[in-house]
Amino acid sequence: LEIARPFIYHHGGGTWYKNREAVIEVFLKCHAQLPNLRLVLSGGNLSLRQKELLQAHNAMAAVVDCGAVSREVLEALYSSASVFHFPSWCEGFGWPPVEAQACGCPVVASNAGSLAEVLEKSAALFQPDDIAGMSEAAINLINDPLLSKSLVEKGLKNAARFTFEQMQAEYQKWVIAANSTSSY
């Protein structure tokens, strides 16, 4: 894939809780100010309703809908995006924003579900329906390289918390604690 920057990237399925409508609304708001901005999506394909919304704003030509992608393409998209946008209504953990951070991409996300705890202060966090706030954050990150660099550095530190070894150690502590309080 050869995608010109700047672009907002979103990876996630088409399920309701991924809040793809907010991704599109934020993109449209940003695209009005930055006409060369692109939107790249992977995971699930756009719904008919989402395509109609983009077509109504004459923005389909600025959208790349990748569908399912390989790990290598996913990594390349994370690494080259201007902003990773993840406005989910809820998440059990929220791997995509952490993966984006590990690849050096600044993240704009919702503070819903586990995301506030997982991302802490390493991402620009908003309510999932705060289109104006997320749009402003994305535009600021695209236009201000120092702000973007600062969030990338915070993101890299945050992503480093989630190594396999760290998760295994935490899991083992949890199992030991659970077994010590068991009344079998």
Side-chain angles (χ1 to χ4, degrees):
L1 295 172
E2 290 187 29
I3 303 166
R5 289 189 81 195
F7 69 89
I8 294 174
Y9 178 46
H10 172 78
H11 177 74
T15 53
W16 69 269
Y17 70 91
K18 293 297 183 182
N19 200 12
R20 273 228 172 146
E21 283 71 22
V23 172
I24 292 167
E25 288 179 44
V26 165
F27 167 70
L28 290 171
K29 204 165 184 55
C30 294
H31 190 254
Q33 293 183 44
L34 303 168
N36 65 334
L37 182 66
R38 304 286 175 259
L39 173 62
V40 178
L41 304 161
S42 65
N45 290 107
L46 287 165
S47 70
L48 179 59
R49 181 173 169 236
Q50 293 163 349
K51 288 178 184 176
E52 288 170 350
L53 178 60
L54 288 161
Q55 288 168 343
H57 287 86
N58 295 318
M60 272 306 287
V63 177
V64 179
D65 188 6
C66 301
V69 295
S70 68
R71 181 173 174 246
E72 293 78 17
V73 171
L74 181 63
E75 231 175 280
L77 291 170
Y78 284 141
S79 297
S80 56
S82 306
V83 174
F84 181 74
H85 187 210
F86 203 71
S88 294
W89 288 106
C90 60
E91 286 291 334
F93 181 85
W95 280 112
V98 176
E99 292 171 344
Q101 289 179 327
C103 291
C105 186
V107 172
V108 174
S110 75
N111 58 5
S114 65
L115 293 172
E117 181 180 350
V118 169
L119 296 171
E120 294 179 340
K121 295 181 181 188
S122 66
L125 298 176
F126 299 88
Q127 292 293 318
D129 58 353
D130 186 355
I131 304 304
M134 290 186 281
S135 301
E136 183 179 349
I139 289 170
N140 289 341
L141 286 165
I142 291 166
N143 287 334
D144 186 342
L146 292 177
L147 178 63
S148 181
K149 182 181 178 192
S150 171
L151 206 57
V152 165
E153 289 170 359
K154 290 175 185 176
L156 289 168
K157 287 179 186 172
N158 184 61
R161 297 187 305 140
F162 301 106
T163 65
F164 175 76
E165 294 77 17
Q166 181 63 30
M167 288 186 285
Q168 184 178 28
E170 291 296 321
Y171 177 74
Q172 287 173 343
K173 284 196 296 190
W174 178 83
V175 168
I176 292 167
N179 287 335
S180 68
T181 60
S182 176
S183 60
Y184 290 112

